[in-house]
Amino acid sequence: MSDKERRVGTVSRGIRCPIIREGDDLAAIVSESVLEAAEAEDFELRDRDVISITESIVARAQGNYASVDDIAADVRAKLGGGTVGVIFPILSRNRFAICLRGIAKGAKKIVLMLSYPSDEVGNELVSLDKIDAAGINPYSDVLSLEDYRRHFGVNKHEFTGVDYVEYYGNLVRESGAEVEIIFANQAKAILDYTDCVINCDIHTRARTKRILKAAGAKVVCGLDEILTAPVNGSGCNEKYGLLGSNKSTEDKIKLFPRECKDLVLDIQTRIFKACGKHVEVMVYGDGAFKDPQGKIWELADPVVSPAFTDGLIGTPNELKLKYLADNDFKDLSGDALKAAISESIRTKDNNLVGNMASQGTTPRQLTDLIGSLCDLTSGSGDKGTPVVLVQGYFDNYTN
């Protein structure tokens, strides 16, 4: 074995940064923070390292904020200010509650249609066991609030302790609108109540819009179509609207970052000028994974990464080492096994789709995989590491 043989594969490091404010030169701050961390911790940057920046500080530096009143004005302009159906929202105080306040302020009445037994990302309103016991078919049955309470009573969220049915109803009333709450999973069920609809689903939004329009809805507007342009000088997101937004204050949201490809390219250039290494750079939000305890799918953003350098396009192209060891080279061991596997990796095809030796490797976008790693590394609390440096991700057994 060579003295210089590397014994470590992928390393993920949270990088401490200053608190970011609107107007800060984020490219300079991120680049300097990574370079200073490398010096302080005595490690070197390498080609194809990945610098990942959380979307929160990108939007903050952009000043991409909007108020409840800005949302209300856009909703009123686009849906008329009368009775508005609000369908398939996720159950979240951070993600949706403040959006609902703005929507309610822009309408006379809200017909709130919640999917059940859970929302799109897995927050549960009622258990499947209770639905089975009640003899209800969630695919076809439309329940009123009275039906829901009679069958299921009060169901508080496992982690937050919030009864979201009551919470959302109160939010609408406090914002000055009437509210009617129903439970259904067929989008067109809302058309029995109103033909002006805001569909709030994230990953299924295109299908929901298609179904509603085909069923005769007068106006269909996704969350991705609210605040696509500034309202009274507000922030906006041309591509995703309110999707990916988070609560900032009681009356203000931070929107998903606007176009930021220039940012990742700027950081890539700065690092190359500083140390001659060609790194990849991406902006990340939610990871794309599901919690086995709460059954909640983490991805409440429209995408994991809204901007990344071109070296992060695509999916992994990897061989499964245990498959090679147990099948192709089952009669080898020690150095002979290592040499055989190393040669297989060096000579592998550029596209392993359909190759049995690649089965069990994860066919996901690189940005989704790396973004999930970074989201877990940085956390969502007080770690203070909104930048993550991933090294060795593109290494393999031969490096």
Side-chain angles (χ1 to χ4, degrees):
M1 182 189 299
S2 166
D3 290 339
K4 293 184 179 180
E5 182 172 353
R6 282 184 27 209
R7 306 298 302 217
V8 175
T10 301
V11 175
S12 176
R13 287 184 175 90
I15 306 295
R16 295 258 167 89
C17 293
I19 301 298
I20 303 300
R21 296 296 188 190
E22 180 177 349
D24 283 351
D25 186 344
L26 193 57
I29 292 171
V30 170
S31 302
E32 290 164 9
S33 296
V34 171
L35 292 167
E36 288 169 3
E39 183 177 359
E41 299 295 322
D42 196 25
F43 64 85
E44 292 183 355
L45 294 178
R46 300 196 294 262
D47 289 330
R48 300 219 74 189
D49 285 353
V50 183
I51 297 173
S52 301
I53 308 112
T54 184
E55 59 83 19
S56 177
I57 64 170
V58 178
R60 198 181 306 153
Q62 291 176 342
N64 203 19
Y65 295 90
S67 72
V68 167
D69 289 336
D70 297 330
I71 297 171
D74 210 26
V75 167
R76 199 176 298 112
K78 289 174 178 173
L79 289 108
T83 298
V84 176
V86 175
I87 73 170
F88 303 154
I90 64 171
L91 307 175
S92 172
R93 294 169 298 174
N94 174 45
R95 289 288 192 168
F96 185 71
I98 196 163
C99 294
L100 180 59
R101 285 184 57 206
I103 292 167
K105 288 189 76 170
K108 181 180 180 182
K109 178 180 179 179
I110 297 294
V111 182
L112 182 64
M113 189 171 97
L114 302 174
S115 56
Y116 72 101
S118 61
D119 70 7
E120 180 185 6
V121 297
N123 293 292
E124 192 175 83
L125 274 176
V126 59
S127 71
L128 278 170
D129 290 334
K130 286 185 178 180
I131 286 176
D132 291 342
I136 288 170
N137 181 349
Y139 188 75
S140 58
D141 291 349
V142 179
L143 308 179
S144 66
L145 178 58
E146 293 73 22
D147 294 332
Y148 173 84
R149 292 299 190 199
R150 184 174 71 254
H151 286 297
F152 309 122
V154 172
N155 295 273
K156 293 186 177 180
H157 192 280
E158 178 182 4
F159 297 134
T160 66
V162 173
D163 175 356
Y164 277 97
V165 176
E166 179 183 44
Y167 177 56
Y168 278 180
N170 287 339
L171 273 181
V172 173
R173 283 185 286 268
E174 289 164 5
S175 300
E178 300 174 51
V179 64
E180 180 174 0
I181 300 177
I182 62 174
F183 303 79
N185 292 308
Q186 295 285 353
K188 60 185 178 182
I190 193 64
L191 299 180
D192 291 336
Y193 301 82
T194 179
D195 58 3
C196 294
V197 184
I198 299 177
N199 66 292
C200 304
D201 46 340
I202 305 161
H203 308 292
T204 54
R205 63 188 183 274
R207 177 175 183 264
T208 298
K209 290 176 193 175
R210 172 175 56 79
I211 289 170
L212 287 170
K213 289 176 181 177
K218 177 183 172 184
V219 181
V220 181
C221 195
L223 281 186
D224 59 328
E225 296 170 290
I226 305 294
L227 283 185
T228 51
V231 174
N232 300 321
S234 74
C236 67
N237 191 297
E238 295 85 350
K239 189 173 183 180
Y240 297 117
L242 288 177
L243 289 181
S245 62
N246 285 273
K247 179 179 179 179
S248 174
T249 70
E250 293 302 321
D251 297 298
K252 191 164 68 170
I253 59 169
K254 176 192 64 58
L255 294 154
F256 209 49
R258 299 174 77 174
E259 180 57 52
C260 45
K261 182 67 177 276
D262 287 349
L263 171 68
V264 298
L265 292 172
D266 190 358
I267 294 169
Q268 185 181 56
T269 299
R270 287 170 183 264
I271 296 295
F272 186 79
K273 287 180 178 178
C275 61
K277 301 301 180 183
H278 182 90
V279 300
E280 304 297 344
V281 186
M282 63 181 280
V283 176
Y284 71 96
D286 281 341
F289 48 83
K290 187 172 182 177
D291 170 55
Q293 175 65 31
K295 308 297 188 292
I296 297 168
W297 188 30
E298 174 72 7
L299 187 56
D301 286 328
V303 290
V304 172
S305 178
F308 46 88
T309 50
D310 290 351
L312 297 175
I313 295 170
T315 59
N317 190 57
E318 299 172 349
L319 294 170
K320 197 79 168 179
L321 296 193
K322 63 184 181 184
Y323 181 88
L324 294 174
D326 291 345
N327 290 273
D328 296 36
F329 309 122
K330 62 181 182 294
D331 297 325
L332 300 179
S333 61
D335 288 344
L337 176 60
K338 179 179 179 180
I341 288 179
S342 297
E343 183 62 18
S344 293
I345 292 171
R346 277 192 289 268
T347 59
K348 67 184 177 183
D349 292 337
N350 289 329
N351 186 347
L352 293 169
V353 173
N355 187 318
M356 287 298 287
S358 70
Q359 65 179 333
T361 58
T362 309
R364 292 168 59 188
Q365 296 294 320
L366 289 167
T367 50
D368 294 342
L369 290 162
I370 298 170
S372 298
L373 170 62
C374 293
D375 191 25
L376 288 167
T377 301
S378 62
S380 57
D382 57 8
K383 287 186 170 62
T385 56
V387 173
V388 175
L389 174 66
V390 178
Q391 296 190 288
Y393 190 84
F394 295 101
D395 285 1
N396 60 46
Y397 187 63
T398 68
N399 294 113

